[in-house]
Amino acid sequence: MSTIIEARNLSRFYEVRRGLFAEPATVRALSEASFRVTQGTTLAVVGESGCGKSTLARLLTMIEPPSGGELVIDGKKLGATGHADLKALRKTVQIVFQDPYGSLNPRQKIGAILEEPLKINTDMPSRERREKAFDMLIKVGLRPEHYGRYPHMFSGGQRQRIAIARALMLDPKILILDEPVSALDVSIQAQILNILADLQEELGLTYIFISHDLSVVRFVADEVMVMYLGRPVEFAPVEAVFESPQHPYTVALLSATPVADPRRKRQNIKLEGELPSPINPPSGCPFHPRCRYARDKCSDIRPELTLHGQTLVACHGIEEGWIDYAAEPPPPGAALSGERAGTTPQAPDAAVRAPEPGSPV
Ligand code: SF4
């Protein structure tokens, strides 16, 4: 399958002032992110709040231009395209937001909400717009009679279905799913994830699934990109991330993910300290102030992403072999049940289908 998104050293910086007479400072929200996404697959982007996930979403949806680097979407390089090409490209990428309550206009009926993108971007006659809205309601598991109702008449899960339907009205190839289920009940989450899986299969969609919830990511992603302080630190097929995480930050994130099986326990790694400020990121490896494996080199030299097995990882300890998770003794009282510390050995939820793994960059 072909590459539909390619980012090379993609960066986004913001100038901020911290006082009337203060010199402007630079917030490095995203720094030198390079990755590829294959058409028809799902890339999950994970990390703590402030790691650059939402900035990446804004760049991919072309809401903001990058400060540096290159972004190629569907074969077209941003910045090298004319106005008409950019307008067409914007239809290719659509976004579904986290909050199904805030993302729909409460004064518009569902039909008007669904038809609005067609009204703005096409000259489709009203009868065809209406038919397309009916079709899309059925595709997301709603009924044609919902066309004439208002958003407040729906539950959170139904509203998120409407948001997905609206995002699909322009026949995009790529959906940016910005925490699409984190505001929903767990039982509703599975329904929405199944609808997304069905739509992906039927329409050949590519998903960028932004989430802080690794237990969800496991069952939707083909590949996972872990970000820390605006930089990718690990990129791998989903099985590799969950079965053999490499970067100490990924291991800590996974250790904080709840395990569904009470017979299985794992090492709980507490991340010390706060996420540093992107205005003044630490030298060398940005994770070194919180890393229990850090050595002198880590504060001096920033590690580059290098390939280890199926995983691209930015860590001196992995590259030079001083990190060996398998050799670590389990903490007192933690019976690891043959699983390596830091993995998430959850039983798959039968309602959520796990997609086939994709290939690494
Ligand atoms: Fe930790 Fe050093 Fe690896 Fe950074 S480079 S994650 S500080 S061991």
Side-chain angles (χ1 to χ4, degrees):
M1 279 192 285
S2 58
T3 298
I4 192 161
I5 298 174
E6 180 163 10
R8 296 184 210 110
N9 296 322
L10 197 63
S11 300
R12 178 65 186 162
F13 305 147
Y14 302 95
E15 295 273 294
V16 291
R17 281 186 187 275
R18 288 185 287 181
L20 194 58
F21 302 107
E23 287 292 310
T26 303
V27 176
R28 297 172 186 279
L30 187 72
S31 299
E32 298 169 28
S34 298
F35 61 92
R36 286 186 205 147
V37 186
T38 304
Q39 188 161 13
T41 64
T42 300
L43 171 68
V45 182
V46 301
E48 288 169 286
S49 177
C51 73
K53 306 185 299 272
S54 298
T55 302
L56 181 60
R58 284 198 295 278
L59 298 191
L60 292 176
T61 45
M62 292 160 268
I63 293 170
E64 293 178 6
S67 307
E70 282 181 8
L71 182 57
V72 181
I73 297 176
D74 200 20
K76 297 186 182 68
K77 189 172 151 189
L78 258 74
T81 53
H83 180 70
D85 274 350
L86 190 62
K87 197 175 171 197
L89 205 53
R90 285 207 169 108
K91 288 191 230 168
T92 303
V93 187
Q94 296 292 312
I95 186 164
V96 176
F97 294 102
Q98 173 182 2
D99 180 9
Y101 294 92
S103 65
L104 303 177
N105 185 342
R107 285 191 285 270
Q108 278 188 318
K109 289 184 178 174
I110 302 308
I113 289 171
L114 294 183
E115 288 184 30
E116 194 170 32
L118 296 174
K119 270 189 187 168
I120 294 169
N121 292 286
T122 73
D123 47 13
M124 190 181 279
S126 65
R127 192 172 57 79
E128 283 179 38
R129 287 200 309 262
R130 191 180 166 91
E131 279 170 12
K132 184 149 190 174
F134 284 157
D135 284 351
M136 210 51 84
L137 283 170
I138 293 165
K139 265 198 174 68
V140 298
L142 295 172
R143 296 194 300 276
E145 60 261 36
H146 291 145
Y147 179 93
R149 296 186 188 169
Y150 286 95
H152 74 267
M153 301 163 88
F154 294 90
S155 66
Q158 287 173 320
R159 286 184 202 209
Q160 202 58 312
R161 289 172 195 240
I162 294 162
I164 293 167
R166 179 181 56 184
L168 294 175
M169 288 299 283
L170 290 171
D171 299 323
K173 294 181 180 176
I174 301 163
L175 274 194
I176 310 296
L177 302 163
D178 190 359
E179 305 263 12
V181 296
S182 56
L184 304 175
D185 289 347
V186 174
S187 58
I188 308 298
Q189 286 185 7
Q191 292 174 14
I192 298 296
L193 293 175
N194 281 336
I195 286 169
L196 288 169
D198 290 341
L199 290 168
Q200 185 172 43
E201 199 176 321
E202 183 184 342
L203 305 173
L205 294 164
T206 303
Y207 292 155
I208 306 295
F209 192 97
I210 293 171
S211 180
H212 66 277
D213 186 348
L214 284 163
S215 56
V216 169
V217 162
R218 182 168 198 175
F219 301 114
V220 299
D222 296 297
E223 292 174 306
V224 178
M225 180 162 74
V226 181
M227 295 191 63
Y228 185 78
L229 211 60
R231 290 180 184 276
V233 295
E234 183 157 353
F235 188 110
V238 67
E239 287 84 359
V241 168
F242 282 88
E243 285 161 24
S244 183
Q246 299 289 316
H247 197 280
Y249 178 60
T250 311
V251 172
L253 280 183
L254 286 167
S255 87
T257 305
V259 179
D261 187 344
R263 292 166 301 176
R264 290 178 168 174
K265 292 180 182 169
R266 63 161 179 261
Q267 191 173 7
N268 187 13
I269 301 164
K270 192 165 172 245
L271 269 178
E272 300 292 341
E274 297 290 319
L275 190 70
S277 167
I279 293 178
N280 189 19
S283 60
C285 171
F287 188 58
H288 85 258
R290 304 170 81 188
C291 180
R292 58 184 181 154
Y293 303 100
R295 295 188 179 179
D296 289 347
K297 179 179 185 179
C298 301
S299 54
D300 293 336
I301 302 169
R302 183 162 50 78
E304 299 295 334
L305 283 170
T306 49
L307 194 60
H308 290 263
Q310 294 179 286
T311 301
L312 280 163
V313 59
C315 174
H316 295 310
I318 296 293
E319 196 178 349
E320 297 181 13
W322 78 67
I323 295 180
D324 182 2
Y325 302 112
E328 288 180 22
L336 295 178
S337 308
E339 299 284 347
R340 211 187 82 185
T343 60
T344 52
Q346 297 184 33
D349 179 346
V352 181
R353 293 176 287 282
E356 291 295 312
S359 54
V361 170

